[in-house]
Amino acid sequence: MNTIKYATAGFATVLALAAGGVPSASAEELIIGRSVSTTGMDPGFLREAATLVDNIFDTLILRDQDMQLVPGLAVSWTAIDDTTWEFELREGVTFQNGEPFNAEAVKYTLDRVLDPDANAPTISYIRTVAGAEVVDEFTVRVTTGAPDPLLPTRMSRYPTYIVPPGYVEEVGQEEFARSPVGTGPYAMTDFAPDEHVVMEANADYWRGAPSIDTVTWRVIPEATARIAALLSGEVHLVESVPADLVDLVEGEDGVELVQVANGGLTIYFGLKMDEPPLDDARVRRALSLAVDRAAIAETLLRGFATPKGTQVGPFDFGYLDLAPPEQDLEQARTLLAEAGYPDGFEIRMQGTRRYINGAEVSQAIVQQFGEIGVQVELEVPEWSVYIQQVPAGEQAPIYMLGWGSTQTLDADAAIYAIFRSGEPYSTVSIPEMDALLDESRQVIDPAAREAILHQIQELAAEQVPVITLHQEDSLYARRDNVVFDGRADARIPVYDITLQ
Amino acid sequence: MATARRRSRFAGDIIVGGGLLLAVAAMAAIGPSLWPPDPIAADIFATFKAPMTAVGDRVHPLGTDQLGRDLLARIMEGTRISLAIVLVAGLISAVLGTVLGLIAGYFGGWVDAVIMRLVDIQLAIPFILLILLVVAVVGPSIPNLILVLGITGWAIFARVARARTLEVRELEYVEAVQVLGLPTWSILLRHVLPNILTPQIVLFTLDLPRLIVLEASVGFLGLGVQPPTPTLGNLIGEGRSYILVADWLVLFPGLVIAALVIGFNLAGDWLVRRTHVRVD
Amino acid sequence: MGQYLLNRSLQSLIVLFGVSAIVFYSLHLTGDPAALMLPPDASREEIDRFRQAMGFDDPILVQHVRYLAGVLQGDLGTSLRFQRPALELVLERLPATALLAVVAMAWSTALGFVFGVVGAVRRDTAVDLIVRVIALSGQAVPVFWLGLLLIIVFALRLGWLPTSGYGDLEHLVLPAITLGAYYMSAVTRLVRANLIEALAQDYVRTARAKGLSAWRIVIRHGLRNALIPVVTVQGMYFAALLGGALITEIIFAWPGIGRLAVQAIQNRDFPLVQAVVLFAAVVFVVANLLVDIAYAILNPRIRLS
């Protein structure tokens, strides 16, 4: 139980030369091109994706390549009652500054985020946790306010990356975000904001020393420049490859596309159900039937998205394989007529460029709605304004959003926040749905919970609280000597990457 | 400050500049009636067709875009809309700036001080940041874009108008009509304004290229006119994402922008020479 | 002179206050960024608690006074996103942007001078026209268009220079060309116009009558007169570049103030947006003040009033 086998190809240290003689990665160095900047690396106070801190810190529980929960800094865990979980910790682990890892560190990590005065932005991920208690140096108990079936999952993601209490107290929170110290495979050595972050291998890492010595994370916001940097060999791996540039990557020698099917967000159009005409389920179903999901995914998204019949992702616990509705304009028109709109209606809609070809997808759907007589006025607002309108209820009656569950790989993350009435990002109000959602958060037994989650998805397919479109793939591109297949949870664990 | 200069017969700049402007204007004005494809309707099965590709029985001379729309039709429509936007925005700048500059220069004192501080405030905010801020806040639409672009340009007009007004005010005949007791608005409108109008017109011509490029920058940042409506800025701003796979999407709108910018500048130079004004 | 400086400084303060007020209200009157700062599964209560903790639920006047009080003590607030003092973040990005701006202005001024002089000396000829069209093409292509083109040609196809990034001299070349192109056009226009003006003055005509060659006249008499307005405008351009180089910085992944500004606006990081704009305004105001003083010293005919 407490030994995990990790395939590390640490022997592959042969220099690989890319075609054309462009400078390529030696076995020691990896340069990764990202689309977004890093502002800070304090896992408890993170306001961005955890891609970098994933490599510096460890959680009590890890997720392996197959997305199974496996021991991390904890060697085992058990629920001793409905609301108490006991973790037995790994001994002999030290932080990169030499500080010992122990139960105190776990308690400190959780307390720091749970402290109401700290206003931790990440608190919602562990909001069910009531507190942590040190039993002995290597045993810790975590209690929850109510039964929480997702607790082990919560302990596998930031903000539960374990931080060194002594160091954090010594340097303060602001400095910690700039020079983080964890137990992870890499230690940060240089941070130039908006430019790069450099990490060096932690030779004393408890899972064994990493095979890649130095990782440099460069920020290249403009997609064309990012791909150009990969093609020219300046970087060895890039994230966020636009679907439209895939041909370019595939046509070039020395670079490969990495496609993680269903690795991205599930895109949908939210519907304001509290006002006509969208309060009528027939109208919602008609709109959903007007959309040609297959054509959009195949053409506009170039096949790098899967049409979906449910908001839940196939890797999620509780996934129900519902077929995406086929376009049926005849039935859509009939439904509209039944609902009292034989000639359609006019309505406002908001799309966003945030998602893959989001503006283009929106325009195509406007046209498809037009075919059943629904005249749409489209707006594509700036993201920062839009994302503030949505939780404030100021968005258009039909609005585009993407929702993901890579944080937890559980259906709960994919549906609760957007289906439960009263949640900031939900415009759904179906009492039966609310009851099922509430129940799903209290049932510990996995089988019973799964049944409830399936029921919710069936209800959604019938009531159409949102128009589910497709789930995006996540696309990376790599030089062909970099061994990396991508992960369903969107991490880039350099520890598992090798160079040939 | 009109300075005596030898009359030049050189007409190269107005021939080239005027020619470019006329060509673009003609395309925008009569193009859509000669070229039937719909610039809005998407055909998602015909995306990214290279120039001169036929889809069905329709040839796309400049190719199609990311939604399978005919690029030529979109450029024609986009040029029309962009020209309308920059002309109205430029007019707003010019009228607002001239009126405020006139008032500041004529009345002087605290009125002048207040207006000139407004000018300074306006100039002190980098205008691309201002646009980003305002459009993000008020939302993107054609009227908002026109207003924002208009607001970024008035300060220069005000400065020039004020300087000219100060000179004109000292002219003997203006002092004479003041003594005659004509109402102030009448003096401003009938005696001062005509005297300061020429440099403002020249300035207007030279401000248009700035606005055209600015509209493109707004398109780059995705804050421009709402899709599917094309503008030159939107076309090139959206097209730049595909520059590595479909370079015609940025090449052709880019050529139109270049023609307009060079055309307006050369025409402006010619005007400067014809009217003997300084506008720097 | 002392009185003048006092007056101008007072005016500058008013301008800075105006700038900060405009930015403050246009940000705050359109909603606050609490929801944007939290993960998407945050509940309404969590958003409200965060909003309260950040002081966003106070009346806007109270917030403005609090902000001004901070500014007077040199505290421009703490970035919501970075959790660090906003001014510190701006100053941290200053060297990168200043380096880019200086190099861009240097080459564009030099080339603009050459084009401008050639245009003025051969004015109203085909040579003049060609030079102007070449110079104008710097203005005629949108910045991002030029930037991407340079990356594709010089970095991707030819492999001479890196595609983007910051560090060595070779990283500087493409962004500096991109950023300077627009200003090269402007300088050409300015030099040409002023030189033509200067060459029409009586004393220049006299010199010409004496038989001095056209080039010597230009160098002796014309350039000095053309220099002053160029210097005046350079001060303003430089200030504008510090905050306005954002598109170039995005394309070339240049870690400067412009990119900081865009991110701040996109994240609705209010204190940071305010700090960037205020900083750009201060540079602008100070640059203008210095230029005016320099102008007065260079040209004694102009009285400071």
Side-chain angles (χ1 to χ4, degrees), chain A residues 208-457:
Chain A
S211 72
I212 294 170
D213 297 329
T214 308
V215 198
T216 302
W217 306 80
R218 276 186 54 190
V219 191
I220 311 176
E222 181 70 10
T224 300
R226 197 160 61 245
I227 302 300
L230 177 80
L231 297 180
S232 72
E234 285 166 61
V235 302
H236 312 126
L237 175 67
V238 296
E239 61 171 22
S240 309
V241 177
D244 292 306
L245 297 187
V246 161
D247 289 352
L248 197 78
V249 171
E250 294 192 317
E252 196 86 6
D253 284 339
V255 291
E256 301 285 338
L257 183 77
V258 179
Q259 176 187 3
V260 183
N262 295 307
L265 300 174
T266 298
I267 311 300
Y268 68 94
F269 275 103
L271 305 169
K272 278 191 170 168
M273 277 180 53
D274 55 347
E275 51 195 65
L278 300 177
D279 57 346
D280 191 321
R282 286 169 298 191
V283 172
R284 301 196 297 268
R285 216 172 305 144
L287 291 176
S288 178
L289 286 170
V291 177
D292 190 347
R293 292 171 178 78
I296 289 172
E298 239 2 88
T299 59
L300 292 183
L301 302 168
R302 316 198 126 224
F304 295 109
T306 315
K308 291 274 295 280
T310 170
Q311 283 296 122
V312 181
F315 299 124
D316 295 346
F317 176 83
Y319 171 70
L320 179 64
D321 188 6
L322 287 166
E326 302 254 344
Q327 189 187 37
D328 187 341
L329 297 175
E330 230 12 81
Q331 206 198 335
R333 289 192 194 102
T334 312
L335 280 166
L336 273 190
E338 278 174 22
Y341 302 96
D343 304 319
F345 49 87
E346 287 180 17
I347 198 158
R348 245 163 33 85
M349 175 168 132
Q350 283 175 320
T352 166
R353 293 179 212 278
R354 180 84 169 181
Y355 312 117
I356 301 179
N357 291 349
E360 282 71 29
V361 169
S362 303
Q363 290 175 65
I365 286 175
V366 166
Q367 201 164 330
Q368 290 167 358
F369 283 171
E371 290 183 39
I372 58 165
V374 176
Q375 302 304 319
V376 178
E377 188 195 328
L378 174 68
E379 193 194 311
V380 184
E382 218 273 319
W383 173 253
S384 68
V385 175
Y386 180 53
I387 197 55
Q388 168 179 312
Q389 286 175 342
V390 175
E394 289 159 3
Q395 75 276 47
I398 306 182
Y399 59 97
M400 183 184 233
L401 271 188
W403 215 257
S405 44
T406 55
Q407 280 298 324
T408 55
L409 294 176
D410 188 285
D412 182 78
I415 50 178
Y416 187 90
I418 60 172
F419 282 177
R420 177 71 173 82
S421 67
E423 285 290 304
Y425 291 89
S426 160
T427 50
V428 177
S429 177
I430 304 173
E432 194 186 344
M433 178 81 83
D434 287 351
L436 285 169
L437 284 166
D438 291 347
E439 197 186 342
S440 77
R441 283 200 162 181
Q442 279 146 19
V443 176
I444 294 270
D445 174 51
R449 221 178 128 247
E450 190 169 26
I452 298 168
L453 291 170
H454 284 177
Q455 247 178 303
I456 293 172
Q457 291 168 76

Side-chain angles (χ1 to χ4, degrees), chain A residues 137-156:
Chain A
E137 192 178 1
F138 294 103
T139 312
V140 72
R141 271 186 197 156
V142 175
T143 51
T144 56
D148 178 16
L150 284 175
L151 189 86
T153 296
R154 295 187 199 280
M155 295 315 230
S156 74

Side-chain angles (χ1 to χ4, degrees), chain C residues 95-129:
Chain C
T97 297
L99 175 68
L100 185 58
V102 166
V103 175
M105 291 203 71
W107 82 260
S108 60
T109 307
L111 197 60
F113 250 92
V114 172
F115 283 150
V117 169
V118 171
V121 171
R122 310 296 290 290
R123 73 170 180 278
D124 304 339
T125 64
V127 175
D128 176 25
L129 181 64

Side-chain angles (χ1 to χ4, degrees), chain B residues 25 37 49 53 58 62 90 98 104 107 120 153 156 160 182 216 225 240:
Chain B
K49 297 291 178 218
T53 309
R58 160 77 61 208
L62 303 186
T98 307
F107 292 103
D120 289 344
I156 306 285
V160 175
L182 278 178
V225 172
R240 70 92 167 39

